[in-house]
Amino acid sequence: MTNGTATGTGTAPGTVTLVGAGPGDAGLLTVRGLRALQAADVIVADRLGARAVLAQLADEGVRIDAEVIDVGKLPGHHPVPQDGINELLVSLALEGRRVVRLKGGDPFVFGRGREEQLFCEAAGIAVDVISGVTSAVAVPGLAGIPLTQRGVAETFTVASAHDQIEALDGGRDHTVVLLMGVNTLGHSAHVLASGARGVDCPVAIIEDGFGERQRVTVGTLGTIAHLAAARQVRSPAVVVIGDVVALSPHAAITPS
């Protein structure tokens, strides 16, 4: 690349915009995000949240003329690895195209958005970031669960269940939100129950938030793994742990 143009083409590089699609409801897409989609030449879209939003916009008659490239990931199956996505964004932008990287939730909350931004910028591509509504906050709200509540919980932590759950200290007044946590739920519950939270700490699992399979399962750290297995809980799902769960209308338990 030389003097801001794509080498050998003479074409001025395009741009990349990272857009958070939110948890899968087009109504939670920001106005700025929608405008970016409508102005795009090509949209590189994730599976969770992103494709659902595009489909809803189409059903509502919202015109988006951009080419859509699906790089969606399924659990354990990544047809386009992250390195390939990074290279794709750069190659499209070097063609002079306006690229939107449409990511579920918020690009900077377990979305690897900053990695993509840095990779593009290292190649001389201008990158804009449009935040999205993260499922870590929006999905518990569907179940009537506030992550903080005066007198119940004053702080919360959002973690990937792939992280070291052992590092999450605090008691039941410190809400924990686990993303990507279904497959490791039994281990997470056991580890958290062994600390200050205890086995009777309330837990809720909200499956497929804003989707057709939306469902809430409520239990405790001591019972939630069994309940999830019995109900065949599946991803995508958000797990909320702490006394705020008892504030949900779905809860049949009360904080001690």
Side-chain angles (χ1 to χ4, degrees):
M1 187 165 163
T2 306
N3 296 327
T5 60
T7 301
T9 68
T11 302
T15 59
V16 171
T17 302
L18 305 182
V19 176
D25 185 338
L28 296 180
L29 178 70
T30 66
V31 172
R32 190 173 168 216
L34 175 59
R35 288 173 178 165
L37 292 174
Q38 292 175 316
D41 297 312
V42 58
I43 299 168
V44 179
D46 277 348
R47 178 181 69 96
L48 290 178
R51 293 311 301 262
V53 165
L54 290 175
Q56 289 172 36
L57 291 174
D59 289 343
E60 294 171 9
V62 177
R63 181 172 176 175
I64 296 176
D65 295 326
E67 173 190 359
V68 178
I69 299 175
D70 191 337
V71 294
K73 300 175 181 179
L74 294 168
H77 178 59
H78 300 170
V80 183
Q82 187 62 51
D83 288 348
I85 294 173
N86 295 346
E87 294 282 0
L88 177 63
L89 296 175
V90 168
S91 65
L92 291 170
L94 289 178
E95 294 172 3
R97 305 173 81 178
R98 292 167 295 184
V99 183
V100 164
R101 174 69 172 108
L102 188 62
K103 304 175 74 67
D106 182 277
F108 281 9
V109 179
F110 298 113
R112 306 188 72 169
R114 181 59 173 159
E115 295 176 42
E116 295 174 359
Q117 182 183 24
L118 290 172
F119 190 90
C120 291
E121 289 177 343
I125 306 301
V127 180
D128 191 16
V129 179
I130 300 176
S131 300
V133 175
T134 173
S135 61
V137 174
V139 170
L142 289 172
I145 301 173
L147 300 188
T148 62
Q149 173 82 358
R150 186 166 56 182
V152 180
E154 300 297 332
T155 187
F156 69 91
T157 296
V158 180
S160 162
H162 302 305
D163 294 339
Q164 295 298 315
I165 300 299
E166 290 84 352
L168 296 177
D169 55 8
R172 294 162 54 149
D173 59 347
H174 179 166
T175 307
V176 173
V177 182
L178 296 180
L179 305 181
M180 299 168 282
V182 171
N183 292 337
T184 56
L185 180 62
H187 172 72
S188 299
H190 173 74
V191 171
L192 293 175
S194 66
R197 292 175 176 85
V199 294
D200 61 343
C201 177
V203 181
I205 307 172
I206 307 97
E207 294 174 80
D208 196 28
F210 297 96
E212 295 180 354
R213 296 188 299 106
Q214 182 177 306
R215 182 174 63 160
V216 180
T217 300
V218 174
T220 67
L221 284 174
T223 64
I224 196 63
H226 174 75
L227 290 172
R231 302 194 76 191
Q232 298 183 325
V233 168
R234 293 183 292 165
S235 297
V238 174
V239 182
V240 186
I241 301 160
D243 277 345
V244 291
V245 170
L247 301 173
S248 168
H250 296 277
I253 51 179
T254 56
S256 59

